Amino acid sequence: MTEENILQLNQRLLDAIAAADWATYEELCDPELTAFEPEARGQRVEGLDFHRFYFDLGKPDGARHTTMVDPRVRMLGENAALVTCIRLVQAETPSGPTTQRAEETRVWLRRDGHWRHVHFHRSDSA
Ligand code: GLY
């Protein structure tokens, strides 16, 4: 797996989040995913249930587009990779287009030949 392939996986994950596509998100994530994100108010979240809540709210009404700005991949041996980027999410809302920005770190691990997302940390949106 090349660094470019890891970035494609990361983009696929972010696109799944933007589209509320639970099947793809679940396929790409380890069941024991850990996360720090603003929604969890400083708590480390483990597993997928916390994230599923947001997918179950349904698909967003307006269009969304996610861009990884200045993405970097650092391979940690052959079976782990660290992705860092600024994540921009453009959204169509009733009051007009908006853009949210956050710093993200995501960790990917290969087990049994499959790459899975195992941990992420996202800053507050700005
Ligand atoms: N809140 C889900 C994710 O960012 O992976």
Side-chain angles (χ1 to χ4, degrees):
M1 181 73 97
T2 66
E3 294 177 6
E4 186 56 36
N5 293 141
I6 297 285
L7 280 184
Q8 286 169 359
L9 269 182
N10 207 76
Q11 182 70 51
R12 197 169 158 229
L13 182 85
L14 299 183
D15 290 344
I17 295 167
D21 174 358
W22 175 252
T24 300
Y25 189 80
E26 187 178 33
E27 174 198 329
L28 294 174
C29 290
D30 186 278
E32 294 173 13
L33 174 75
T34 51
F36 285 110
E37 62 178 348
E39 293 90 326
R41 312 277 301 196
Q43 306 303 308
R44 184 184 57 249
V45 171
E46 298 188 7
L48 298 182
D49 284 353
F50 183 87
H51 307 291
R52 183 165 191 157
F53 171 83
Y54 298 97
F55 286 79
D56 285 348
L57 294 176
K59 297 191 186 309
D61 287 335
R64 286 193 184 190
H65 184 252
T66 304
T67 306
M68 289 187 285
V69 179
D70 193 23
R72 301 286 168 92
V73 179
R74 182 174 175 195
M75 298 305 297
L76 306 171
E78 291 183 0
N79 296 312
L82 186 64
V83 177
T84 56
C85 72
I86 303 300
R87 174 179 168 192
L88 295 182
V89 180
Q90 295 162 272
E92 181 186 14
T93 75
S95 51
T98 64
T99 302
Q100 288 195 321
R101 174 203 181 280
E103 297 111 46
E104 284 200 349
T105 299
R106 293 190 182 261
V107 182
W108 293 83
L109 185 67
R110 179 164 59 184
R111 261 198 224 124
D112 303 326
H114 296 287
W115 284 89
R116 295 276 185 274
H117 183 40
V118 295
H119 177 78
F120 70 92
H121 196 142
R122 189 172 71 251
S123 70
D124 264 324
S125 296

